[in-house]
Amino acid sequence: MGPDKTAAKQCLLSADRFLKESRFQDARTEIEKAKKFDPSNVYVLAFLDRINYFEAQQKKEAQVSAAKAHPSPAPAAPSPQPHAATPPPHAAIPQPVKPIVPNVPKPAPATTEVPLASAPPPPVKPKEAPEPVAPARSEHRGVETTLEEMKRQIEMLTHSLEQEKKAREDMSKQQLQSTVLQLRTSMEKAWATGAPNEQEEEALHKLAISLSIPENVELSLRREVKLKMYSTAVKEVISKRQLLRSSSSTLEWLRKVYQVSMEEYLEYETKFLLDLVADQYKGTLLYVTPNVKTKDELIPRLKAAGYAVVLSGTPEEALEKIEKINPNIILCHTEFSPGSLSGVKFLHLLRASAKFNFIPFLLLCESPEVSQLKSSELRQHEGFLKKPVDVDELMIAMNEKLARFRDYVSSLS
Amino acid sequence: MSKKILLAEDDEDNRDLVSFVLQRSRLGAELIVAENGQEAVDKAFESIPNLILMDMQMPVMDGWTAIPILKGDKRTKHIPIIAFTAQAKPEDKVRTLEIGCAEHYSKPMDPEELIALIRKYLAD
């Protein structure tokens, strides 16, 4: 609380004391002072209402006493105080209002760390000066004002609580981000030249604990850093591939150095491949083959030719991947294990999709299927090759289909 | 104390690649680099490495000249030298062994094979 607010609080306390002593004018003077010290203090107006109420109440009592001392000659005259018999609503209401001054919200511990204290209170509506109205009307007006004031206080407290909650959330988020960044930097340093040794791993784990980073976040970060550093190393070594005896054995060595599992490699394959062939990248090739797990000699040839090859074991799996990888060309075997779609069926499904029906598509088929495919109405960007596939023949066919695709795309513009 | 490997190689890309491989080998060896034979001889006398990887074709002084100098000096004659060359003819291999090389390694390199070779000579 600033010095002006403290002074305002002192004035309000003095006003409260004067009010109890029925020194209404002195109380008003203190309130005026408080208003000057802290114009935004919402209790000032509430206090003025209290003063008005008690002053009116005192005058009323004085009138009643005077009437008792000098009884009116006309007893049938209507009472000017129709509610005098019932306890004035203010009599009960000032109770919750009274502790307002001592309860002026103090900054919570968190507000010293976050800028809550600077949050402006809800705007106080300017009030009209109390009119010299009839006491009943004044009472009613007093009740309304007090209720309104209480409502405003509740709103203000709710607002402050919400702000504090948000500030706390922001703070913990920022703290987590900063600690995660700290751990990430240490991890990147440790993983720069490969998987860290046991002692380094232990030190990283201890650091994560000391930074209160949850274990799942730590593990996820470890995996992210590992794959990033592996990918960086792949890029670096591949830029010098002309000096290497074999790119594939070098990559296999790097996979061991960075402890990248085959599952992780396959999960990130497209990205890694794009890194590998970035300078000679011809496009993404979706290769649907039942021989995913066995050694397919076609794959390294396709990669060497500049394609980022994404493998699918079945047409169903290919349908799942196709949205994500958006291939430039598809190579697909015709026969798959029982229960799976055939390559031809897969082609028909893609033809039915407005999004994928123009992707160049080559079927790799057995001899007996050739005559059947020859007689079928393959479109210009579709084709087939007889197995065993001659790689040069395949490259020619792929280039031809891609050229037709480029012509088609150019015709659209 | 970490072991020292002296690499004499005039091609920057090759130097970078050997450095890249050694950093990831976890051998914990210190790499000293020389860009020609003369520099290799000077640095070998100065630092007495545990192993020397010597490219045979270099400017200023080639490996064919530098190796006999190193093998003729009592300070460095015990250091194993791996001839590091793109010349893969059998007679080149014989010649490198004749001038005192412990091994002949043909470029282009294979990281795992190179690490295994280095490890073998550092362990001796």
Side-chain angles (χ1 to χ4, degrees):
Chain A
M1 187 183 284
D4 286 348
K5 286 182 191 287
T6 311
K9 187 180 168 184
Q10 285 304 321
C11 292
L12 288 169
L13 286 167
S14 303
D16 191 50
R17 201 174 56 246
F18 288 138
L19 189 62
K20 282 171 191 163
E21 293 165 6
S22 300
R23 291 164 62 185
F24 302 116
Q25 197 48 48
D26 291 337
R28 278 202 186 87
T29 310
E30 290 302 314
I31 292 297
E32 284 306 314
K33 277 197 236 167
K35 200 173 171 183
K36 277 179 192 163
F37 282 126
D38 183 11
S40 65
N41 194 313
V42 293
Y43 307 107
V44 168
L45 289 173
F47 228 104
L48 277 175
D49 285 337
R50 285 182 70 203
I51 296 168
N52 290 338
Y53 165 73
F54 282 111
E55 197 174 28
Q57 194 69 12
Q58 202 180 52
K59 280 179 187 169
K60 200 163 64 184
E61 280 168 11
Q63 281 172 1
V64 172
S65 303
K68 276 182 185 170
H70 309 284
S72 171
S79 167
Q81 301 292 328
H83 301 296
T86 55
H90 285 64
I93 288 166
Q95 221 38 44
V97 178
K98 201 170 179 181
I100 281 173
V101 177
N103 283 346
V104 169
K106 287 175 189 169
T111 59
T112 57
E113 297 163 38
V114 289
L116 267 188
S118 62
V124 178
K125 288 179 189 169
K127 283 193 171 181
E128 292 168 11
E131 291 170 26
V133 290
R137 200 175 151 197
S138 168
E139 270 175 38
H140 184 66
R141 190 183 155 76
V143 172
E144 275 181 359
T145 312
T146 313
L147 284 172
E148 197 179 304
E149 194 52 47
M150 288 173 77
K151 194 179 160 195
R152 198 175 297 153
Q153 285 174 40
I154 290 166
E155 277 172 6
M156 191 186 76
L157 284 170
T158 313
H159 178 74
S160 296
L161 282 172
E162 275 170 9
Q163 274 210 324
E164 182 170 338
K165 193 180 162 196
K166 190 176 174 297
R168 279 182 190 280
E169 280 172 5
D170 286 350
M171 200 167 66
S172 70
K173 201 173 158 188
Q174 274 175 9
Q175 273 175 351
L176 186 65
Q177 277 176 349
S178 119
T179 52
V180 163
L181 187 69
Q182 197 179 332
L183 182 63
R184 174 192 275 276
T185 309
S186 302
M187 278 186 173
E188 283 182 354
K189 207 172 163 188
W191 279 87
T193 56
N197 59 30
E198 267 180 38
Q199 288 93 337
E200 288 168 324
E201 282 274 33
E202 185 64 29
L204 285 171
H205 184 58
K206 278 181 182 164
L207 177 65
I209 291 170
S210 71
L211 293 169
S212 307
I213 291 174
E215 202 168 341
N216 59 338
V217 176
E218 183 197 343
L219 287 174
S220 158
L221 197 62
R222 182 185 182 275
R223 188 176 136 94
E224 201 183 308
V225 167
K226 174 172 83 170
L227 293 171
K228 183 189 165 192
M229 302 319 279
Y230 169 67
S231 181
T232 308
V234 166
K235 271 187 201 172
E236 197 175 333
V237 81
I238 286 303
S239 68
K240 295 182 172 55
R241 66 182 172 281
Q242 74 279 4
L243 304 174
L244 294 164
R245 200 170 296 167
S246 154
S247 294
S248 55
S249 69
T250 304
L251 294 180
E252 194 52 28
W253 164 69
L254 271 182
R255 205 169 62 74
K256 285 184 220 160
V257 168
Y258 284 89
Q259 292 177 357
V260 173
S261 69
M262 191 48 91
E263 288 73 24
E264 285 169 329
Y265 177 80
L266 288 173
E267 195 180 326
Y268 284 82
E269 191 183 35
T270 311
K271 189 183 173 303
F272 296 146
L273 290 172
L274 285 175
D275 286 344
L276 281 182
V277 297
D279 55 342
Q280 49 164 12
Y281 176 59
K282 282 191 183 163
T284 302
L285 185 149
L286 177 59
Y287 184 27
V288 193
T289 168
N291 312 322
V292 166
K293 287 180 183 169
T294 58
K295 198 173 178 182
D296 190 329
E297 287 176 2
L298 203 54
I299 299 166
R301 299 290 298 270
L302 292 167
K303 288 178 182 176
Y307 292 98
V309 182
V310 179
L311 294 172
S312 284
T314 60
E316 287 86 345
E317 195 188 324
L319 283 169
E320 281 174 23
K321 285 186 177 175
I322 197 165
E323 281 270 0
K324 208 184 285 179
I325 61 168
N326 205 10
N328 300 89
I329 190 163
I330 300 168
L331 285 190
C332 184
H333 285 251
T334 46
E335 288 300 315
F336 291 89
S337 56
S340 275
L341 292 171
S342 70
V344 176
K345 201 87 180 156
F346 178 46
L347 173 61
H348 284 292
L349 278 174
L350 291 187
R351 277 181 181 177
S353 156
K355 199 171 171 187
F356 303 116
N357 64 8
F358 57 85
I359 300 175
F361 195 108
L362 282 171
L363 280 162
L364 308 180
C365 60
E366 302 291 345
S367 298
E369 295 164 317
V370 170
S371 56
Q372 198 185 334
L373 283 167
K374 269 182 181 169
S375 61
S376 67
E377 287 181 11
L378 287 173
R379 296 174 184 177
Q380 281 197 335
H381 64 275
E382 297 163 355
F384 66 89
L385 286 167
K386 197 175 76 178
K387 289 197 276 189
V389 176
D390 178 87
V391 176
D392 293 333
E393 199 185 332
L394 173 66
M395 293 299 167
I396 292 167
M398 281 167 54
N399 286 337
E400 185 211 340
K401 299 300 169 195
L402 284 167
R404 286 190 188 281
F405 170 70
R406 278 194 294 271
D407 291 345
Y408 167 72
V409 172
S410 305
S411 72
L412 295 176
S413 57
Chain B
M1 205 168 77
S2 69
K3 299 208 169 176
K4 290 182 233 171
I5 299 171
L6 172 66
L7 170 68
E9 170 64 77
D10 63 323
D11 182 78
E12 192 184 352
D13 280 345
N14 262 322
R15 287 200 301 267
D16 288 350
L17 190 59
V18 172
S19 170
F20 176 93
V21 171
L22 280 178
Q23 277 175 352
R24 282 154 186 81
S25 68
R26 299 278 157 168
L27 288 169
E30 181 193 345
L31 184 67
I32 301 159
V33 174
E35 294 181 17
N36 58 59
Q38 182 62 62
E39 206 181 313
V41 170
D42 293 345
K43 287 194 174 175
F45 289 155
E46 185 189 315
S47 59
I48 314 294
N50 302 86
L51 176 67
I52 298 172
L53 301 177
M54 180 79 76
D55 182 21
M56 300 310 281
Q57 300 296 328
M58 286 184 290
V60 185
M61 183 191 284
D62 62 16
W64 302 109
T65 313
I67 290 169
I69 296 173
L70 292 168
K71 286 292 168 189
D73 192 286
K74 60 179 179 183
R75 289 169 293 172
T76 52
K77 67 177 179 187
H78 66 283
I79 302 170
I81 301 175
I82 298 173
F84 208 56
T85 175
Q87 293 163 336
K89 293 176 194 165
E91 54 266 35
D92 287 328
K93 189 177 178 182
V94 173
R95 208 177 143 206
T96 52
L97 297 177
E98 278 173 358
I99 61 167
C101 289
E103 200 88 35
H104 177 276
Y105 188 81
S106 299
K107 290 190 255 182
M109 71 177 92
D110 178 89
E112 277 194 293
E113 200 180 279
L114 181 65
I115 292 168
L117 194 60
I118 292 172
R119 186 169 275 131
K120 176 183 158 189
Y121 285 99
L122 284 185
D124 284 350

